Amino acid sequence: MAIQTVGIIGAGTMGNGIAQACAVSGINVVMVDISDAAVQKGLATVAGSLDRLIKKEKISEADKTAALGRITTSTNYDDLKAAQLVIEAATENFDLKVKILKQLDGLLGQDVIVATNTSSISITQLAAVTQRADRFIGMHFFNPVPMMALVEIIRGLQTSDATHEAVKTLSETLGKTPITVKNAPGFVVNRILVPMINEAFQVLSEGTATAEDIDAGMKLGCNQPIGPLALADMIGLDVCLAVMEVYLKEFGDSKYRPCFLLREMVAAGRLGRKTGQGVYTY
């Protein structure tokens, strides 16, 4: 199935980033959010991002005009009927996602694929609340979407081969490199990344090295663009802790036990960049 129009639910950071990636690649977009202010803010973010690409001479003014012309904004789910694929990019909340998915089920044609941009919720569990479990899939984009090359395509237990192939093809059309993942907590990237961050906190708590030296070691020794502790501050220490707690619960393996220092810093309200202080002070 050729996907010519993509519906996106949520005009926030991930939603507007996905909208930009689609529009720049020649795909029509219907971006929906709960208020006109929210969708206009999302559209303004896309325009600002495209302006930065013009300054870097990556795209032309005409490219920007064409891309923005492919994005339709709306506060009405009915406008999603034009899409062959709808991507849910709402807040990472299970109950909210279930509510949205049930609403979509009664609205969209039977052949429409529904994807979720979740980074942590079970694709199999979300698929089970829909009437189109075989046409339900995970599309985990990475932030910032226009810049990051990866898309994790997550197959639930019920996802059909045809659905997987259609979404894989679309990802490649967007200039992304898709990897296929079976449904499991954390999928692939976060499953490896967040325990590594947790281990960096363990090394810090033991006094093995300073935060600066731990980060320098991983940047210079493993060619990482940012050290794990600085990255934790960027992600949010509360988010890192929550992810580790999910892994511990789902896998029942003590290797996923969150570091006590990480717990302490979250309890102190030192959550990273968003609070002005985490491992480092901002």
Side-chain angles (χ1 to χ4, degrees), residues 15 38 42 50 77 80 90 105 114 120 129 144 156-158 160 177 193 201 211 229 244 253-254 257 269 277-278:
L50 294 174
Y77 276 30
L80 295 167
D105 250 352
V114 175
S120 63
V129 307
L157 195 63
Q158 317 93 316
S160 72
T177 301
L193 177 67
F201 273 95
L229 297 171
M244 288 304 296
D253 189 328
S254 63
R257 186 174 65 246
Q277 190 172 20

Coordinates of all heavy atoms in Angstrom, one line a residue, residues 15 38 42 50 77 80 90 105 114 120 129 144 156-158 160 177 193 201 211 229 244 253-254 257 269 277-278:
G15 N 5.6 15.0 17.5 CA 4.6 15.1 16.4 C 5.0 16.1 15.3 O 4.9 15.8 14.1
A38 N -2.2 24.8 20.1 CA -1.2 23.7 20.1 C -0.8 23.4 18.6 O 0.4 23.2 18.4 CB -1.8 22.5 20.7
G42 N 3.0 24.0 16.9 CA 3.7 22.9 16.2 C 4.1 23.3 14.8 O 5.2 23.1 14.4
L50 N 12.8 24.7 9.5 CA 13.1 24.8 8.1 C 13.9 26.0 7.8 O 14.8 26.0 6.9 CB 11.8 24.8 7.3 CG 10.9 23.5 7.3 CD1 9.6 23.7 6.6 CD2 11.7 22.3 6.7
Y77 N -10.6 15.1 14.7 CA -10.2 13.7 14.2 C -10.8 13.3 12.9 O -10.2 12.5 12.2 CB -10.5 12.7 15.3 CG -9.5 12.6 16.4 CD1 -8.8 13.6 16.9 CD2 -9.3 11.3 17.1 CE1 -7.9 13.5 17.9 CE2 -8.4 11.2 18.1 CZ -7.7 12.3 18.5 OH -6.8 12.2 19.6
L80 N -8.6 13.1 9.8 CA -7.6 12.0 9.7 C -8.1 11.0 8.6 O -7.3 10.1 8.3 CB -7.4 11.4 11.0 CG -6.7 12.3 12.1 CD1 -6.8 11.6 13.4 CD2 -5.2 12.5 11.7
A90 N 1.0 11.2 21.0 CA 0.6 11.9 22.2 C 1.5 11.6 23.4 O 2.5 10.9 23.3 CB -0.9 11.5 22.5
D105 N -10.4 3.9 16.0 CA -11.0 2.6 15.5 C -12.3 2.8 14.8 O -12.7 2.3 13.8 CB -11.1 1.6 16.6 CG -10.1 0.4 16.4 OD1 -9.5 0.4 15.3 OD2 -10.0 -0.4 17.3
V114 N -2.4 2.0 11.8 CA -2.2 2.9 13.0 C -0.9 2.5 13.6 O -0.6 1.4 13.9 CB -3.4 2.8 14.0 CG1 -3.1 3.6 15.2 CG2 -4.7 3.2 13.4
S120 N 8.1 3.3 25.3 CA 8.1 2.4 26.4 C 6.9 1.4 26.6 O 7.0 0.4 27.2 CB 8.3 3.1 27.7 OG 7.2 4.0 28.0
V129 N -6.2 -3.4 22.2 CA -7.4 -2.6 22.5 C -8.0 -2.1 21.2 O -9.1 -1.5 21.3 CB -7.1 -1.4 23.4 CG1 -6.4 -1.9 24.7 CG2 -6.3 -0.3 22.7
P144 N 16.1 15.0 18.0 CA 15.1 15.7 17.2 C 14.9 14.9 15.9 O 15.8 14.5 15.2 CB 15.8 17.0 16.9 CG 17.3 16.7 17.0 CD 17.4 15.6 18.0
G156 N 4.2 -5.8 17.2 CA 3.5 -6.5 18.2 C 3.3 -8.0 17.8 O 3.6 -8.4 16.7
L157 N 2.8 -8.8 18.7 CA 2.6 -10.2 18.4 C 1.6 -10.4 17.2 O 1.7 -11.3 16.5 CB 2.0 -10.9 19.7 CG 2.0 -12.4 19.7 CD1 3.4 -12.9 19.7 CD2 1.2 -12.9 21.0
Q158 N 0.7 -9.4 17.0 CA -0.3 -9.5 16.0 C 0.0 -8.8 14.7 O -0.7 -8.9 13.8 CB -1.6 -8.9 16.6 CG -1.9 -9.3 18.1 CD -1.4 -8.3 19.1 OE1 -0.3 -7.8 18.9 NE2 -2.2 -7.9 20.1
S160 N 1.0 -7.7 11.1 CA 1.1 -8.5 9.9 C 2.4 -8.1 9.2 O 2.9 -7.0 9.3 CB -0.1 -8.3 9.0 OG -0.1 -7.0 8.4
T177 N 16.7 5.3 8.5 CA 17.2 3.9 8.5 C 16.3 3.2 9.5 O 16.5 3.4 10.7 CB 18.7 3.8 8.8 OG1 19.4 4.6 7.9 CG2 19.1 2.4 8.8
L193 N 20.7 1.6 26.2 CA 21.2 2.9 26.6 C 21.0 3.2 28.1 O 21.9 3.7 28.8 CB 20.5 4.0 25.8 CG 20.8 5.5 26.1 CD1 22.3 5.8 25.8 CD2 19.9 6.4 25.4
F201 N 26.0 6.0 36.7 CA 25.6 6.5 38.1 C 26.3 5.6 39.2 O 26.7 6.1 40.2 CB 24.1 6.6 38.3 CG 23.5 7.9 37.8 CD1 23.0 8.0 36.5 CD2 23.5 9.0 38.6 CE1 22.5 9.2 36.0 CE2 23.0 10.2 38.2 CZ 22.4 10.3 36.9
A211 N 32.3 12.8 37.7 CA 31.4 12.8 36.6 C 32.0 13.3 35.3 O 31.8 12.7 34.2 CB 30.2 13.8 36.9
L229 N 26.4 10.7 31.7 CA 25.8 11.5 32.8 C 25.2 12.8 32.2 O 24.2 13.2 32.7 CB 26.9 11.7 33.8 CG 27.3 10.4 34.5 CD1 28.5 10.7 35.4 CD2 26.2 9.8 35.3
M244 N 14.2 2.5 34.2 CA 14.8 1.4 34.9 C 13.8 0.6 35.8 O 13.9 -0.6 35.9 CB 16.0 1.9 35.8 CG 17.2 2.3 35.0 SD 17.9 1.1 33.9 CE 18.5 -0.2 35.1
D253 N 14.7 -9.0 36.8 CA 16.1 -9.3 36.9 C 16.8 -8.2 37.7 O 16.7 -7.0 37.3 CB 16.7 -9.4 35.5 CG 18.1 -9.9 35.4 OD1 18.8 -9.7 36.4 OD2 18.4 -10.6 34.5
S254 N 17.6 -8.5 38.7 CA 18.2 -7.5 39.6 C 19.2 -6.6 38.8 O 19.6 -5.6 39.4 CB 18.8 -8.2 40.8 OG 19.9 -9.0 40.4
R257 N 18.2 -3.0 38.6 CA 17.9 -2.3 39.8 C 18.5 -0.9 39.6 O 19.7 -0.7 39.4 CB 18.5 -3.0 41.0 CG 18.1 -2.4 42.3 CD 18.6 -3.2 43.5 NE 20.1 -3.2 43.5 CZ 20.8 -4.3 43.4 NH1 20.3 -5.5 43.1 NH2 22.2 -4.2 43.4
G269 N 14.9 16.4 43.7 CA 14.4 17.3 42.7 C 15.5 17.7 41.7 O 15.3 18.7 40.9
Q277 N 19.6 21.7 37.6 CA 20.7 21.0 38.3 C 20.3 19.5 38.2 O 19.2 19.1 38.4 CB 20.8 21.4 39.8 CG 22.0 20.8 40.4 CD 22.3 21.3 41.8 OE1 21.4 21.9 42.4 NE2 23.5 21.2 42.3
G278 N 21.4 18.7 37.8 CA 21.3 17.2 37.9 C 22.6 16.8 38.3 O 23.1 17.1 39.4

